[in-house]
Amino acid sequence: MDLKSNHASPVLTDPAPVNKSRLGMPSGLLPYPQPGMGFSSGKYAIVPRKKPGKLEDVRSNGWLDAMISSSPPRKKLLKDLNVEVSTDDIDNMTSSWMLKYPSALNSFVKIVNYAKNKKIAMFLDYDGTLSPIVDDPDRALMSDAMRSTVKNLAKYFPTAIISGRSRDKVYELVGLKELYYAGSHGMDIIGPASHTACSNHSNCIKPSDDQVKEVNLFQPASEFLPMIDEVFRTLVETTRGIEGAKVENHKFCTSVHYRNVDENSWPTIAQYVHDVLRDYPRLRLTHGRKVLEIRPVIDWDKGKAVEFLLESLGLTNSEEVLPIFIGDDRTDEDAFKVLRTGNRGYGILVSPVPKETNAFYSLKDPSEVMEFLNSLVRWKELDAPINAE
Protein backbone atom coordinates (compact mmCIF):
# COMPACT_ATOMS: atom_id res chain seq x y z
CA MET A 1 0.00 0.00 0.00
CA ASP A 2 1.93 3.00 -1.24
CA LEU A 3 1.18 6.44 0.08
CA LYS A 4 0.28 8.70 -2.82
CA SER A 5 -1.56 11.52 -1.09
CA ASN A 6 -2.01 14.89 -2.77
CA HIS A 7 -4.10 16.03 0.19
CA ALA A 8 -4.32 19.77 0.45
CA SER A 9 -2.65 21.32 3.44
CA PRO A 10 -4.91 22.52 6.25
CA VAL A 11 -5.67 26.21 6.36
CA LEU A 12 -5.50 28.34 9.47
CA THR A 13 -8.88 29.73 10.38
CA ASP A 14 -7.51 32.63 12.41
CA PRO A 15 -5.96 35.77 10.85
CA ALA A 16 -2.43 35.05 12.05
CA PRO A 17 0.06 34.62 9.19
CA VAL A 18 1.62 31.22 8.55
CA ASN A 19 4.79 30.27 6.71
CA LYS A 20 3.10 28.88 3.59
CA SER A 21 6.19 27.11 2.37
CA ARG A 22 6.00 24.81 5.38
CA LEU A 23 2.31 24.08 4.99
CA GLY A 24 2.27 23.81 1.20
CA MET A 25 4.59 20.92 0.41
CA PRO A 26 3.12 19.11 -2.63
CA SER A 27 3.55 15.69 -1.06
CA GLY A 28 1.70 16.62 2.10
CA LEU A 29 4.74 15.65 4.15
CA LEU A 30 6.04 17.99 6.82
CA PRO A 31 9.40 17.82 8.53
CA TYR A 32 9.90 18.13 12.24
CA PRO A 33 10.57 21.80 13.02
CA GLN A 34 14.08 22.87 13.85
CA PRO A 35 14.63 24.43 17.29
CA GLY A 36 13.32 27.96 17.37
CA MET A 37 11.50 27.77 14.04
CA GLY A 38 8.10 29.39 13.74
CA PHE A 39 8.40 31.63 16.80
CA SER A 40 10.63 34.56 17.60
CA SER A 41 11.77 33.15 20.92
CA GLY A 42 12.99 29.62 21.51
CA LYS A 43 12.59 29.97 25.27
CA TYR A 44 9.53 28.95 27.19
CA ALA A 45 7.88 31.39 29.54
CA ILE A 46 6.50 30.07 32.79
CA VAL A 47 3.56 32.11 34.00
CA PRO A 48 3.50 32.38 37.81
CA ARG A 49 0.53 30.83 39.53
CA LYS A 50 -2.19 33.36 40.13
CA LYS A 51 -5.85 33.56 40.94
CA PRO A 52 -8.12 32.96 37.96
CA GLY A 53 -10.02 35.79 36.35
CA LYS A 54 -13.73 36.39 36.77
CA LEU A 55 -15.63 33.12 36.83
CA GLU A 56 -18.38 34.84 34.87
CA ASP A 57 -16.18 34.42 31.80
CA VAL A 58 -16.49 30.62 31.67
CA ARG A 59 -20.14 30.73 32.68
CA SER A 60 -21.11 33.21 29.97
CA ASN A 61 -19.18 31.51 27.18
CA GLY A 62 -20.78 28.11 27.88
CA TRP A 63 -17.61 26.30 28.98
CA LEU A 64 -19.13 25.10 32.24
CA ASP A 65 -22.29 23.88 30.54
CA ALA A 66 -20.15 21.92 28.07
CA MET A 67 -18.03 20.44 30.87
CA ILE A 68 -21.10 19.29 32.77
CA SER A 69 -23.01 17.95 29.77
CA SER A 70 -20.07 15.95 28.42
CA SER A 71 -19.03 14.43 31.73
CA PRO A 72 -21.49 12.79 34.16
CA PRO A 73 -23.38 9.62 33.24
CA ARG A 74 -27.07 9.98 32.62
CA LYS A 75 -28.13 8.54 35.99
CA LYS A 76 -25.98 11.06 37.86
CA LEU A 77 -27.42 13.92 35.82
CA LEU A 78 -30.97 12.88 36.70
CA LYS A 79 -30.05 12.46 40.37
CA ASP A 80 -28.31 15.85 40.55
CA LEU A 81 -31.29 17.54 38.95
CA ASN A 82 -33.67 15.78 41.38
CA VAL A 83 -35.63 14.45 38.42
CA GLU A 84 -37.84 11.46 39.11
CA VAL A 85 -37.60 9.13 36.14
CA SER A 86 -39.11 5.66 36.18
CA THR A 87 -37.21 2.61 35.02
CA ASP A 88 -39.78 2.18 32.27
CA ASP A 89 -39.08 5.70 30.98
CA ILE A 90 -35.33 5.04 30.89
CA ASP A 91 -35.90 1.72 29.13
CA ASN A 92 -38.18 3.38 26.58
CA MET A 93 -35.64 6.12 25.99
CA THR A 94 -32.86 3.54 25.48
CA SER A 95 -35.01 1.43 23.17
CA SER A 96 -35.88 4.47 21.09
CA TRP A 97 -32.20 5.41 20.84
CA MET A 98 -31.23 1.87 19.86
CA LEU A 99 -33.72 1.97 16.99
CA LYS A 100 -31.93 5.05 15.68
CA TYR A 101 -28.40 3.74 16.39
CA PRO A 102 -28.70 -0.06 16.39
CA SER A 103 -26.08 -2.38 17.83
CA ALA A 104 -23.27 -3.09 15.37
CA LEU A 105 -23.24 -6.65 16.71
CA ASN A 106 -26.93 -7.19 16.00
CA SER A 107 -26.46 -5.50 12.61
CA PHE A 108 -23.30 -7.40 11.73
CA VAL A 109 -24.82 -9.39 8.86
CA LYS A 110 -26.20 -6.20 7.33
CA ILE A 111 -22.79 -4.49 7.64
CA VAL A 112 -20.79 -7.30 6.02
CA ASN A 113 -23.38 -7.80 3.29
CA TYR A 114 -22.87 -4.16 2.36
CA ALA A 115 -19.09 -4.70 2.56
CA LYS A 116 -19.10 -7.52 0.00
CA ASN A 117 -16.80 -6.71 -2.93
CA LYS A 118 -15.48 -3.72 -0.98
CA LYS A 119 -12.20 -3.19 0.87
CA ILE A 120 -12.79 -2.37 4.53
CA ALA A 121 -10.54 0.22 6.16
CA MET A 122 -10.62 0.31 9.97
CA PHE A 123 -10.14 3.41 12.14
CA LEU A 124 -10.16 3.06 15.93
CA ASP A 125 -10.03 5.47 18.83
CA TYR A 126 -8.03 4.26 21.84
CA ASP A 127 -9.45 5.43 25.19
CA GLY A 128 -12.93 4.07 25.83
CA THR A 129 -12.76 2.00 22.63
CA LEU A 130 -9.77 -0.32 22.87
CA SER A 131 -9.25 0.34 26.59
CA PRO A 132 -11.64 1.19 29.42
CA ILE A 133 -12.06 4.75 30.68
CA VAL A 134 -10.19 4.97 33.99
CA ASP A 135 -9.45 7.74 36.50
CA ASP A 136 -5.73 7.81 35.68
CA PRO A 137 -5.05 8.12 31.91
CA ASP A 138 -1.68 6.40 32.39
CA ARG A 139 -3.53 3.26 33.49
CA ALA A 140 -5.81 3.05 30.47
CA LEU A 141 -4.24 -0.18 29.26
CA MET A 142 -5.65 -2.40 26.53
CA SER A 143 -5.85 -6.09 27.37
CA ASP A 144 -3.64 -8.70 25.72
CA ALA A 145 -6.80 -10.16 24.18
CA MET A 146 -7.69 -6.79 22.62
CA ARG A 147 -4.14 -6.37 21.32
CA SER A 148 -4.29 -9.81 19.72
CA THR A 149 -7.65 -8.94 18.18
CA VAL A 150 -6.32 -5.71 16.64
CA LYS A 151 -3.21 -7.52 15.37
CA ASN A 152 -5.39 -10.10 13.62
CA LEU A 153 -7.62 -7.34 12.25
CA ALA A 154 -4.63 -5.65 10.62
CA LYS A 155 -3.80 -8.86 8.73
CA TYR A 156 -6.92 -8.39 6.64
CA PHE A 157 -7.74 -4.68 6.74
CA PRO A 158 -5.63 -1.49 6.77
CA THR A 159 -6.02 -0.37 10.39
CA ALA A 160 -5.30 2.99 12.02
CA ILE A 161 -5.49 4.22 15.61
CA ILE A 162 -6.64 7.86 15.72
CA SER A 163 -6.35 9.24 19.24
CA GLY A 164 -6.17 12.50 21.13
CA ARG A 165 -3.07 11.19 22.88
CA SER A 166 0.40 11.90 21.57
CA ARG A 167 1.44 9.61 18.77
CA ASP A 168 4.38 8.27 20.81
CA LYS A 169 2.14 7.50 23.78
CA VAL A 170 -0.56 5.70 21.84
CA TYR A 171 2.08 3.64 20.04
CA GLU A 172 3.60 2.74 23.41
CA LEU A 173 0.19 1.62 24.67
CA VAL A 174 -0.73 -0.41 21.57
CA GLY A 175 2.70 -1.61 20.49
CA LEU A 176 1.79 -3.02 17.06
CA LYS A 177 4.13 -2.10 14.19
CA GLU A 178 1.68 -3.06 11.46
CA LEU A 179 -0.77 -0.23 12.22
CA TYR A 180 -1.05 3.42 11.25
CA TYR A 181 -1.02 5.83 14.18
CA ALA A 182 -2.54 9.31 14.21
CA GLY A 183 -1.85 11.13 17.47
CA SER A 184 -3.03 14.54 18.69
CA HIS A 185 -6.42 14.11 16.95
CA GLY A 186 -4.73 13.31 13.64
CA MET A 187 -2.07 16.03 13.67
CA ASP A 188 0.82 13.54 13.82
CA ILE A 189 0.49 10.52 11.51
CA ILE A 190 2.87 7.60 10.94
CA GLY A 191 2.55 4.24 9.26
CA PRO A 192 4.43 0.98 8.84
CA ALA A 193 7.48 1.42 6.60
CA SER A 194 6.69 -1.79 4.72
CA HIS A 195 3.48 -0.16 3.45
CA THR A 196 4.95 3.24 2.68
CA ALA A 197 6.62 4.76 -0.36
CA CYS A 198 9.20 6.84 1.46
CA SER A 199 11.13 7.93 -1.67
CA ASN A 200 13.84 10.46 -0.88
CA HIS A 201 11.86 12.93 1.23
CA SER A 202 14.01 14.52 3.93
CA ASN A 203 11.30 14.05 6.55
CA CYS A 204 10.97 10.30 6.03
CA ILE A 205 12.73 8.19 8.64
CA LYS A 206 14.91 5.55 7.02
CA PRO A 207 14.54 2.69 9.52
CA SER A 208 17.54 0.61 10.53
CA ASP A 209 17.41 -2.85 12.10
CA ASP A 210 17.35 -1.45 15.64
CA GLN A 211 14.61 1.12 14.97
CA VAL A 212 10.85 0.82 15.03
CA LYS A 213 10.01 0.43 11.37
CA GLU A 214 7.85 3.50 10.86
CA VAL A 215 7.93 6.58 8.68
CA ASN A 216 6.52 10.04 9.33
CA LEU A 217 3.66 10.86 7.02
CA PHE A 218 2.02 14.12 7.99
CA GLN A 219 2.31 16.81 10.66
CA PRO A 220 0.06 19.74 9.72
CA ALA A 221 0.64 21.64 12.98
CA SER A 222 4.44 21.55 13.28
CA GLU A 223 4.50 25.35 13.45
CA PHE A 224 2.72 25.20 16.81
CA LEU A 225 5.02 22.86 18.74
CA PRO A 226 6.79 25.58 20.79
CA MET A 227 3.49 27.29 21.54
CA ILE A 228 1.82 24.08 22.72
CA ASP A 229 4.77 23.27 24.94
CA GLU A 230 4.66 26.76 26.43
CA VAL A 231 0.95 26.45 27.20
CA PHE A 232 1.52 23.02 28.73
CA ARG A 233 4.19 24.34 31.09
CA THR A 234 2.01 27.29 32.04
CA LEU A 235 -1.03 25.15 32.82
CA VAL A 236 1.01 22.68 34.86
CA GLU A 237 2.09 25.60 37.03
CA THR A 238 -1.26 27.40 37.27
CA THR A 239 -3.30 24.27 38.08
CA ARG A 240 -0.80 22.90 40.59
CA GLY A 241 -3.01 23.87 43.53
CA ILE A 242 -6.13 22.09 42.22
CA GLU A 243 -6.33 18.61 43.71
CA GLY A 244 -6.88 15.91 41.10
CA ALA A 245 -6.07 18.08 38.08
CA LYS A 246 -3.76 16.50 35.52
CA VAL A 247 -2.19 18.30 32.54
CA GLU A 248 -0.76 16.26 29.66
CA ASN A 249 1.34 17.32 26.69
CA HIS A 250 0.18 15.40 23.62
CA LYS A 251 2.77 17.13 21.42
CA PHE A 252 0.32 18.96 19.17
CA CYS A 253 -2.32 19.60 21.82
CA THR A 254 -2.49 19.95 25.60
CA SER A 255 -5.12 18.24 27.75
CA VAL A 256 -6.37 19.29 31.17
CA HIS A 257 -8.12 16.36 32.87
CA TYR A 258 -10.67 17.13 35.56
CA ARG A 259 -12.07 13.62 36.08
CA ASN A 260 -10.60 13.52 39.61
CA VAL A 261 -11.30 17.18 40.45
CA ASP A 262 -14.06 18.09 42.88
CA GLU A 263 -16.98 19.42 40.86
CA ASN A 264 -16.98 22.60 42.92
CA SER A 265 -13.52 23.35 41.47
CA TRP A 266 -14.53 22.90 37.84
CA PRO A 267 -15.27 26.63 37.37
CA THR A 268 -11.80 27.45 38.71
CA ILE A 269 -9.97 25.02 36.43
CA ALA A 270 -12.02 26.22 33.44
CA GLN A 271 -11.18 29.83 34.25
CA TYR A 272 -7.45 29.04 34.46
CA VAL A 273 -7.60 27.53 30.97
CA HIS A 274 -9.65 30.48 29.73
CA ASP A 275 -7.12 32.96 31.10
CA VAL A 276 -4.20 31.18 29.46
CA LEU A 277 -5.94 30.85 26.08
CA ARG A 278 -6.72 34.58 26.09
CA ASP A 279 -3.00 35.14 25.36
CA TYR A 280 -2.95 32.61 22.50
CA PRO A 281 -5.44 33.57 19.76
CA ARG A 282 -4.00 30.87 17.48
CA LEU A 283 -5.12 28.13 19.89
CA ARG A 284 -8.65 26.93 20.62
CA LEU A 285 -10.48 24.84 23.19
CA THR A 286 -12.37 21.59 22.57
CA HIS A 287 -14.19 19.36 25.05
CA GLY A 288 -13.77 15.64 25.62
CA ARG A 289 -14.91 13.28 28.37
CA LYS A 290 -13.91 15.19 31.51
CA VAL A 291 -11.04 16.83 29.69
CA LEU A 292 -10.37 20.28 28.24
CA GLU A 293 -8.14 20.17 25.17
CA ILE A 294 -6.14 23.06 23.74
CA ARG A 295 -5.39 22.71 20.03
CA PRO A 296 -4.02 24.81 17.16
CA VAL A 297 -6.59 26.80 15.21
CA ILE A 298 -6.19 24.87 11.98
CA ASP A 299 -8.67 23.11 9.76
CA TRP A 300 -7.72 19.63 10.95
CA ASP A 301 -9.41 17.00 13.10
CA LYS A 302 -10.03 13.24 13.20
CA GLY A 303 -12.30 13.50 10.18
CA LYS A 304 -9.55 15.16 8.15
CA ALA A 305 -7.12 12.48 9.35
CA VAL A 306 -9.46 9.75 8.06
CA GLU A 307 -9.73 11.49 4.69
CA PHE A 308 -5.94 11.90 4.52
CA LEU A 309 -5.26 8.25 5.28
CA LEU A 310 -7.87 7.02 2.81
CA GLU A 311 -6.38 9.21 0.10
CA SER A 312 -2.82 8.22 1.00
CA LEU A 313 -3.71 4.54 0.72
CA GLY A 314 -5.59 4.97 -2.54
CA LEU A 315 -8.90 4.10 -0.89
CA THR A 316 -11.09 7.03 -1.90
CA ASN A 317 -13.45 5.20 -4.28
CA SER A 318 -16.64 4.85 -2.24
CA GLU A 319 -17.87 2.12 -4.61
CA GLU A 320 -14.90 -0.08 -3.69
CA VAL A 321 -14.08 0.94 -0.10
CA LEU A 322 -15.97 0.82 3.20
CA PRO A 323 -14.31 2.86 5.98
CA ILE A 324 -15.43 2.06 9.54
CA PHE A 325 -14.55 4.33 12.47
CA ILE A 326 -15.18 3.18 16.06
CA GLY A 327 -14.92 5.72 18.87
CA ASP A 328 -16.53 6.93 22.05
CA ASP A 329 -15.56 10.59 22.40
CA ARG A 330 -16.98 13.90 21.26
CA THR A 331 -13.87 14.43 19.10
CA ASP A 332 -14.74 11.25 17.17
CA GLU A 333 -17.87 12.96 15.88
CA ASP A 334 -15.74 14.75 13.25
CA ALA A 335 -14.86 11.36 11.78
CA PHE A 336 -18.45 10.10 12.08
CA LYS A 337 -19.64 13.18 10.21
CA VAL A 338 -17.15 12.62 7.36
CA LEU A 339 -18.30 9.01 6.93
CA ARG A 340 -21.98 9.87 7.15
CA THR A 341 -21.66 12.50 4.40
CA GLY A 342 -22.60 10.78 1.17
CA ASN A 343 -22.85 7.45 3.02
CA ARG A 344 -19.09 6.98 2.62
CA GLY A 345 -18.79 4.59 5.54
CA TYR A 346 -19.98 3.63 9.01
CA GLY A 347 -19.32 5.40 12.28
CA ILE A 348 -19.84 3.25 15.38
CA LEU A 349 -20.29 5.03 18.71
CA VAL A 350 -19.11 3.27 21.87
CA SER A 351 -21.42 4.34 24.70
CA PRO A 352 -23.33 2.63 27.50
CA VAL A 353 -25.95 5.40 27.49
CA PRO A 354 -27.95 7.17 24.76
CA LYS A 355 -26.47 10.39 23.37
CA GLU A 356 -26.66 12.35 20.16
CA THR A 357 -24.17 11.26 17.52
CA ASN A 358 -23.36 11.28 13.81
CA ALA A 359 -22.60 7.55 13.96
CA PHE A 360 -24.71 4.90 12.23
CA TYR A 361 -24.34 2.13 14.80
CA SER A 362 -23.45 1.68 18.47
CA LEU A 363 -21.57 -0.62 20.83
CA LYS A 364 -21.79 -0.49 24.62
CA ASP A 365 -18.15 -0.85 25.71
CA PRO A 366 -14.67 -2.10 24.71
CA SER A 367 -15.72 -5.74 25.25
CA GLU A 368 -18.36 -5.33 22.53
CA VAL A 369 -15.78 -3.58 20.35
CA MET A 370 -13.52 -6.63 20.66
CA GLU A 371 -16.41 -8.95 19.82
CA PHE A 372 -17.24 -6.90 16.73
CA LEU A 373 -13.60 -6.85 15.55
CA ASN A 374 -13.24 -10.59 16.11
CA SER A 375 -16.42 -11.12 14.09
CA LEU A 376 -14.91 -9.14 11.22
CA VAL A 377 -11.77 -11.29 11.31
CA ARG A 378 -13.78 -14.55 11.34
CA TRP A 379 -15.95 -13.30 8.48
CA LYS A 380 -12.89 -12.41 6.41
CA GLU A 381 -11.18 -15.72 7.16
CA LEU A 382 -14.23 -17.58 5.86
CA ASP A 383 -14.86 -15.20 3.00
CA ALA A 384 -11.42 -14.93 1.36
CA PRO A 385 -7.70 -15.53 1.88
CA ILE A 386 -5.48 -12.75 3.18
CA ASN A 387 -4.91 -10.09 0.54
CA ALA A 388 -1.41 -10.11 -0.93
CA GLU A 389 0.48 -6.98 0.06
Side-chain angles (χ1 to χ4, degrees):
M1 292 178 285
D2 289 346
L3 294 169
K4 306 174 182 177
S5 176
N6 292 314
H7 201 287
S9 299
V11 178
L12 280 168
T13 55
D14 75 327
V18 176
N19 185 334
K20 293 182 180 179
S21 65
R22 296 186 64 208
L23 291 181
M25 297 177 65
S27 65
L29 298 175
L30 290 173
Y32 284 106
Q34 299 301 314
M37 288 183 66
F39 298 89
S40 59
S41 172
K43 297 181 179 180
Y44 301 114
I46 299 298
V47 177
R49 218 176 337 148
K50 58 184 180 180
K51 293 182 178 179
K54 295 180 179 179
L55 296 180
E56 285 77 9
D57 290 343
V58 293
R59 292 192 174 101
S60 63
N61 65 20
W63 281 25
L64 277 181
D65 289 341
M67 290 171 73
I68 293 170
S69 66
S70 67
S71 301
R74 180 172 300 276
K75 288 181 180 179
K76 186 176 187 303
L77 280 173
L78 296 174
K79 179 181 178 181
D80 290 347
L81 293 171
N82 292 319
V83 176
E84 292 294 333
V85 180
S86 69
T87 301
D88 288 343
D89 287 338
I90 294 176
D91 289 343
N92 289 337
M93 182 168 53
T94 301
S95 297
S96 177
W97 186 81
M98 290 297 295
L99 287 174
K100 189 174 182 181
Y101 308 105
S103 166
L105 290 174
N106 295 340
S107 306
F108 185 78
V109 172
K110 180 179 180 181
I111 292 172
V112 294
N113 281 341
Y114 184 75
K116 282 185 177 179
N117 302 318
K118 293 177 181 281
K119 186 177 184 68
I120 293 177
M122 293 299 305
F123 302 93
L124 307 168
D125 185 23
Y126 181 79
D127 292 277
T129 300
L130 300 181
S131 73
I133 294 293
V134 294
D135 289 341
D136 183 355
D138 291 334
R139 297 188 177 185
L141 305 177
M142 66 189 299
S143 66
D144 290 339
M146 180 67 86
R147 183 172 292 102
S148 177
T149 293
V150 175
K151 184 178 180 68
N152 289 332
L153 184 77
K155 292 178 183 178
Y156 297 96
F157 313 109
T159 302
I161 310 295
I162 303 183
S163 171
R165 290 179 181 262
S166 72
R167 181 253 292 171
D168 290 338
K169 184 63 178 179
V170 76
Y171 178 85
E172 175 188 328
L173 290 166
V174 177
L176 297 174
K177 297 178 182 180
E178 52 267 69
L179 308 184
Y180 295 85
Y181 292 89
S184 303
H185 301 291
M187 289 183 280
D188 189 9
I189 303 175
I190 59 171
S194 59
H195 294 168
T196 304
C198 190
S199 68
N200 293 315
H201 269 288
S202 60
N203 55 324
C204 288
I205 297 173
K206 302 288 187 180
S208 59
D209 291 341
D210 59 346
Q211 288 180 314
V212 175
K213 295 191 175 181
E214 300 164 339
V215 59
N216 284 289
L217 304 181
F218 196 51
Q219 293 181 329
S222 295
E223 193 88 15
F224 293 85
L225 282 173
M227 186 183 293
I228 292 294
D229 197 65
E230 187 173 293
V231 168
F232 165 71
R233 291 165 182 255
T234 300
L235 285 171
V236 167
E237 181 64 24
T238 56
T239 62
R240 194 181 301 278
I242 301 179
E243 185 176 354
K246 183 181 180 69
V247 184
E248 289 188 305
N249 187 342
H250 295 310
K251 191 170 184 176
F252 292 98
C253 61
T254 291
S255 296
V256 182
H257 296 268
Y258 56 92
R259 179 172 299 278
N260 299 319
V261 175
D262 186 283
E263 196 165 331
N264 292 325
S265 296
W266 288 8
T268 302
I269 202 168
Q271 191 65 49
Y272 276 134
V273 175
H274 177 276
D275 292 347
V276 170
L277 274 182
R278 192 162 46 194
D279 297 327
Y280 295 91
R282 298 175 68 190
L283 300 179
R284 65 187 175 102
L285 176 89
T286 59
H287 294 267
R289 291 176 64 172
K290 293 192 177 179
V291 61
L292 300 172
E293 296 179 313
I294 296 92
R295 301 197 227 171
V297 182
I298 64 172
D299 185 20
W300 200 260
D301 51 39
K302 289 186 177 183
K304 292 289 195 301
V306 167
E307 290 180 315
F308 171 79
L309 283 166
L310 287 172
E311 183 178 337
S312 297
L313 296 169
L315 300 176
T316 56
N317 189 334
S318 60
E319 297 299 318
E320 300 175 356
V321 179
L322 178 64
I324 298 176
F325 190 108
I326 307 179
D328 75 307
D329 195 72
R330 182 176 292 192
T331 59
D332 299 318
E333 292 296 327
D334 295 315
F336 295 158
K337 192 179 301 183
V338 163
L339 297 185
R340 179 174 279 276
T341 302
N343 292 321
R344 293 176 63 181
Y346 292 140
I348 301 177
L349 175 69
V350 183
S351 177
V353 296
K355 58 183 178 182
E356 284 304 308
T357 179
N358 288 296
F360 274 95
Y361 296 105
S362 64
L363 294 167
K364 290 181 180 178
D365 52 38
S367 67
E368 287 201 353
V369 172
M370 185 164 66
E371 185 178 350
F372 178 80
L373 299 182
N374 280 327
S375 296
L376 277 178
V377 170
R378 288 193 297 269
W379 167 74
K380 190 63 176 179
E381 287 173 342
L382 294 172
D383 181 65
I386 298 177
N387 292 332
E389 295 297 341

